[in-house]
Amino acid sequence: MHTVWVRLNAVVFFGLSALLGFSVLAAISKIGHANRHVPDVKTLKLKRLKSLKSHGGVDRALLNFDLHVDLNPAFHWNIKQLFVYVVASYKSDKNKNNQIVLWDKIVEATDPPESKIIKQDSIFVKYALVDQGADLRGRDVELQIMWDHMPLTGLLYMGEQDKSTVSSFTLPYDYTSGR
Amino acid sequence: MIKDMIDKQVLELKKLWMNKRQLLFQLLNLAMIVFSALMIWKGLMFVTKSESPVVVVLSGSMEPAFQRGDILFLNNAVEQVGVGDVVVFKIKDRDIPIVHRILKVHTKPDNTVELLTKGDNNRVDDRGLYAPGQLWLKREDILGKAVGTLRYVGMVTIALNDYPVLKYVLVGMMGLFVLTSKEG
């Protein structure tokens, strides 16, 4: 019985299968790309601690940092955007580890190549470094840049700055309100 | 033309009703399709340890990463979720799970975590979305970590949700189809 319905069904089904097939092909075409092409992190370090205060019972630090990174290598044709973020991690008495995003940026694949190079000094944090308690004073804080590859279709995967190049700093032992 | 088609379908159904053996065969066919779909879903649930291994993005709070209608594949078999991961979580007494990114992770000495999330496209973090008085998400609030995406496929789901009538029409049509279409 070759009614319109049967034909419509066949066309839709074939279309969907083709779409799925191409999506899978697109996804597997770039497997392993992240191992060979890693963004080049030149600098990520504290520039200036603006303040370290007690803010409603919890400690809060505001700071500026320098960031020089070339993100171009991470892009390929199945990447829609890169989500780049700077993470501060430290240990406290209450917690084994604390990881806090200080700053993030969405870099889209359609952006021109030169804007995929971040070369900025003294970036002010987007999100303050806030502890769960009052335990930031004198803590060693590591700054690390990480990025999330968001594909057009397929698998999401993460990347991060090599641990050996990660910079750290020690917060002052007393509250400061900056210079 | 439509009346013609409906007449044809009715005729087919009548024919099928007379031929009990054929009817049984078609019903079994229908059951097989339904059960294989169910099996795939349950199998995915088992592998990913997530109560909902595939979700459709319903809001624009993660744009431009995910748009309305994108499909996300979740994995909940990961022991720990990390900062920057896109996760789907559920708030108590709320039906619809939320897809957002982890902004803070506080790991306790016993390895439990307290998390704070935020949508890429939102200006503030998610504290306002959590249950009243809730400051942190726990690991068990998380339905899974987004590991893969397919675009646009979820549009069908959104359409079905917005126009519930469409659901019955579609299911009815599919059922009719399987019943009346013949092999070969």
Side-chain angles (χ1 to χ4, degrees):
Chain A
M1 202 181 77
H2 290 281
T3 61
V4 180
W5 291 117
V6 174
R7 287 173 192 190
L8 192 71
N9 185 44
V11 167
V12 169
F13 188 74
F14 179 73
L16 281 178
S17 326
L19 188 67
L20 191 69
F22 283 120
S23 300
V24 170
L25 280 179
I28 62 175
S29 70
K30 284 296 176 185
I31 282 181
H33 182 274
N35 301 331
R36 283 172 279 120
H37 305 276
V38 183
D40 185 12
V41 185
K42 294 198 182 68
T43 314
L44 170 61
K45 62 174 195 313
L46 176 81
K47 172 85 174 175
R48 189 172 81 95
L49 182 76
K50 198 166 171 255
S51 67
L52 172 60
K53 282 180 185 168
S54 180
H55 186 82
V58 295
D59 279 4
R60 188 185 76 173
L62 295 172
L63 52 96
N64 293 59
F65 60 90
D66 294 344
L67 177 61
H68 295 188
V69 55
D70 181 3
L71 296 168
N72 279 302
F75 284 89
H76 55 72
W77 65 292
N78 193 27
I79 293 283
K80 185 202 265 178
Q81 66 165 55
L82 229 56
F83 184 85
V84 195
Y85 52 106
V86 171
V87 178
S89 35
Y90 63 96
K91 293 176 177 55
S92 57
D93 285 343
K94 239 168 74 181
N95 297 332
K96 214 162 78 171
N97 194 23
N98 303 278
Q99 285 190 300
I100 291 171
V101 175
L102 296 183
W103 178 85
D104 59 24
K105 187 181 162 94
I106 293 166
V107 183
E108 290 188 74
T110 47
D111 293 345
E114 56 275 15
S115 62
K116 288 174 188 150
I117 301 171
I118 300 171
K119 194 171 183 197
Q120 260 180 289
D121 287 333
S122 198
I123 304 176
F124 188 61
V125 290
K126 241 168 115 174
Y127 317 103
L129 175 53
V130 181
D131 188 42
Q132 270 194 316
D135 199 6
L136 273 185
R137 282 163 294 169
R139 293 294 169 190
D140 290 323
V141 179
E142 260 185 9
L143 288 181
Q144 190 182 17
I145 179 165
M146 305 183 185
W147 48 88
D148 189 9
H149 306 77
M150 322 286 296
L152 287 171
T153 181
L155 297 180
L156 282 79
Y157 53 99
M158 298 286 199
E160 58 179 40
Q161 181 184 4
D162 194 47
K163 273 278 180 204
S164 62
T165 65
V166 167
S167 79
S168 64
F169 61 92
T170 307
L171 285 163
Y173 289 87
D174 290 305
Y175 292 129
T176 62
S177 57
R179 282 145 282 171
Chain B
M1 191 183 95
I2 294 196
K3 194 176 180 322
D4 199 35
M5 266 181 329
I6 292 174
D7 284 348
K8 239 184 207 167
Q9 292 289 339
V10 171
L11 193 72
E12 286 288 326
L13 273 181
K14 269 189 191 146
K15 250 198 263 173
L16 202 61
W17 188 247
M18 308 299 281
N19 189 346
K20 295 290 187 220
R21 196 190 173 93
Q22 182 71 19
L23 179 68
L24 197 67
F25 176 74
Q26 299 284 51
L27 278 177
L28 276 176
N29 229 344
L30 183 64
M32 209 166 84
I33 291 171
V34 171
F35 283 117
S36 10
L38 196 70
M39 250 166 69
I40 292 173
W41 181 254
K42 290 285 173 188
L44 270 177
M45 270 175 81
F46 175 71
V47 174
T48 62
K49 293 187 185 169
S50 178
E51 61 180 90
S52 127
V54 180
V55 293
V56 176
V57 178
L58 293 175
S59 82
S61 64
M62 283 297 282
E63 274 181 37
F66 304 121
Q67 274 136 13
R68 243 170 93 80
D70 288 3
I71 275 192
L72 293 184
F73 295 91
L74 303 186
N75 185 6
N76 203 24
V78 286
E79 198 136 302
Q80 290 299 337
V81 285
V83 70
D85 284 349
V86 176
V87 291
V88 176
F89 57 90
K90 223 171 165 178
I91 303 295
K92 267 175 230 104
D93 305 326
R94 291 247 204 120
D95 295 337
I96 299 170
I98 304 173
V99 187
H100 280 172
R101 195 185 292 276
I102 297 181
L103 192 68
K104 288 183 180 190
V105 180
H106 295 288
T107 314
K108 302 286 167 190
D110 59 352
N111 275 331
T112 56
V113 286
E114 295 192 319
L115 311 162
L116 181 66
T117 51
K118 175 181 173 288
D120 288 0
N121 200 22
N122 292 354
R123 289 169 134 261
V124 290
D125 61 48
D126 289 346
R127 287 249 163 85
L129 294 176
Y130 297 167
Q134 182 181 12
L135 291 179
W136 306 98
L137 287 182
K138 301 269 186 205
R139 178 66 185 85
E140 55 268 26
D141 293 324
I142 291 187
L143 297 185
K145 170 183 163 181
V147 291
T149 168
L150 261 182
R151 300 181 78 183
Y152 308 124
V153 190
M155 287 295 185
V156 185
T157 318
I158 288 184
L160 291 184
N161 257 332
D162 291 354
Y163 310 99
V165 184
L166 210 62
K167 216 180 305 186
Y168 303 112
V169 172
L170 210 71
V171 169
M173 255 169 56
M174 264 154 68
L176 195 68
F177 237 147
V178 179
L179 278 178
T180 55
S181 69
K182 292 197 190 86
E183 305 280 298

Short mmCIF file of all heavy atoms in Angstrom, two decimals, chain B residues 10 12 18 32 35 38 57 61 73 77 84 141 160 169 171 179:
data_model
loop_
_atom_site.label_atom_id
_atom_site.label_comp_id
_atom_site.label_asym_id
_atom_site.label_seq_id
_atom_site.Cartn_x
_atom_site.Cartn_y
_atom_site.Cartn_z
N VAL B 10 -9.74 2.98 7.34
CA VAL B 10 -10.84 2.27 7.99
C VAL B 10 -11.07 0.93 7.32
O VAL B 10 -11.26 -0.10 7.98
CB VAL B 10 -12.12 3.15 7.95
CG1 VAL B 10 -13.32 2.33 8.41
CG2 VAL B 10 -11.95 4.37 8.84
N GLU B 12 -8.90 -0.82 5.74
CA GLU B 12 -7.80 -1.71 6.13
C GLU B 12 -8.06 -2.30 7.51
O GLU B 12 -7.84 -3.49 7.75
CB GLU B 12 -6.47 -0.93 6.16
CG GLU B 12 -5.92 -0.60 4.78
CD GLU B 12 -5.39 -1.84 4.07
OE1 GLU B 12 -4.86 -2.72 4.78
OE2 GLU B 12 -5.54 -1.94 2.85
N MET B 18 -11.34 -8.82 10.36
CA MET B 18 -11.81 -10.10 9.86
C MET B 18 -10.73 -11.16 9.95
O MET B 18 -10.98 -12.30 10.27
CB MET B 18 -12.26 -9.97 8.39
CG MET B 18 -13.26 -8.85 8.13
SD MET B 18 -14.77 -9.08 9.05
CE MET B 18 -15.57 -10.30 8.00
N MET B 32 6.22 -5.20 19.97
CA MET B 32 7.67 -5.34 19.86
C MET B 32 8.34 -3.96 19.75
O MET B 32 9.36 -3.71 20.39
CB MET B 32 8.02 -6.17 18.64
CG MET B 32 9.32 -6.91 18.81
SD MET B 32 9.50 -8.16 17.57
CE MET B 32 10.16 -7.21 16.23
N PHE B 35 8.13 -2.23 23.14
CA PHE B 35 9.02 -2.81 24.15
C PHE B 35 10.50 -2.61 23.81
O PHE B 35 11.31 -2.48 24.72
CB PHE B 35 8.70 -4.30 24.36
CG PHE B 35 7.47 -4.49 25.21
CD1 PHE B 35 6.34 -5.10 24.70
CD2 PHE B 35 7.43 -4.00 26.50
CE1 PHE B 35 5.20 -5.25 25.48
CE2 PHE B 35 6.30 -4.14 27.29
CZ PHE B 35 5.18 -4.77 26.76
N LEU B 38 11.29 0.79 25.04
CA LEU B 38 11.37 0.76 26.50
C LEU B 38 12.68 0.12 26.95
O LEU B 38 13.34 0.59 27.90
CB LEU B 38 10.19 -0.04 27.04
CG LEU B 38 9.89 0.14 28.53
CD1 LEU B 38 9.34 1.53 28.79
CD2 LEU B 38 8.92 -0.92 29.01
N VAL B 57 16.75 20.35 26.22
CA VAL B 57 16.96 21.68 26.78
C VAL B 57 15.70 22.52 26.54
O VAL B 57 15.26 22.66 25.40
CB VAL B 57 18.18 22.36 26.13
CG1 VAL B 57 18.37 23.76 26.68
CG2 VAL B 57 19.42 21.53 26.35
N SER B 61 18.85 29.46 28.99
CA SER B 61 19.78 29.95 30.00
C SER B 61 21.21 29.47 29.77
O SER B 61 22.12 29.93 30.44
CB SER B 61 19.32 29.54 31.39
OG SER B 61 19.33 28.14 31.52
N PHE B 73 22.84 14.18 26.36
CA PHE B 73 23.00 12.83 26.91
C PHE B 73 23.68 12.95 28.26
O PHE B 73 24.71 13.61 28.38
CB PHE B 73 23.82 11.97 25.96
CG PHE B 73 23.13 11.74 24.66
CD1 PHE B 73 23.33 12.59 23.59
CD2 PHE B 73 22.25 10.68 24.51
CE1 PHE B 73 22.68 12.40 22.38
CE2 PHE B 73 21.59 10.47 23.32
CZ PHE B 73 21.81 11.34 22.25
N ALA B 77 27.13 8.01 36.08
CA ALA B 77 27.99 6.97 36.63
C ALA B 77 29.32 7.55 37.11
O ALA B 77 30.11 6.86 37.73
CB ALA B 77 28.24 5.89 35.58
N GLY B 84 32.92 23.58 36.48
CA GLY B 84 32.88 23.76 35.03
C GLY B 84 32.05 22.72 34.29
O GLY B 84 31.74 22.92 33.13
N ASP B 141 21.40 15.53 44.23
CA ASP B 141 20.45 16.37 43.50
C ASP B 141 20.71 16.31 42.00
O ASP B 141 19.87 16.74 41.20
CB ASP B 141 20.58 17.84 43.93
CG ASP B 141 20.15 18.04 45.38
OD1 ASP B 141 19.20 17.37 45.78
OD2 ASP B 141 20.77 18.85 46.07
N LEU B 160 5.48 18.74 21.31
CA LEU B 160 4.53 17.83 21.98
C LEU B 160 4.12 18.37 23.33
O LEU B 160 2.99 18.20 23.77
CB LEU B 160 5.16 16.44 22.15
CG LEU B 160 5.39 15.64 20.88
CD1 LEU B 160 5.93 14.26 21.21
CD2 LEU B 160 4.09 15.50 20.10
N VAL B 169 -2.47 12.57 18.71
CA VAL B 169 -2.58 12.44 17.26
C VAL B 169 -1.43 11.61 16.72
O VAL B 169 -1.60 10.66 15.95
CB VAL B 169 -2.59 13.83 16.58
CG1 VAL B 169 -2.51 13.69 15.07
CG2 VAL B 169 -3.82 14.61 16.99
N VAL B 171 0.73 9.59 18.38
CA VAL B 171 0.74 8.21 18.86
C VAL B 171 -0.33 7.40 18.14
O VAL B 171 -0.09 6.27 17.69
CB VAL B 171 0.55 8.16 20.39
CG1 VAL B 171 0.30 6.73 20.85
CG2 VAL B 171 1.76 8.74 21.09
N LEU B 179 -0.39 -1.01 12.62
CA LEU B 179 -1.43 -2.01 12.49
C LEU B 179 -1.78 -2.28 11.04
O LEU B 179 -2.00 -3.42 10.65
CB LEU B 179 -2.70 -1.54 13.23
CG LEU B 179 -2.68 -1.78 14.74
CD1 LEU B 179 -3.94 -1.24 15.36
CD2 LEU B 179 -2.54 -3.26 15.06
#
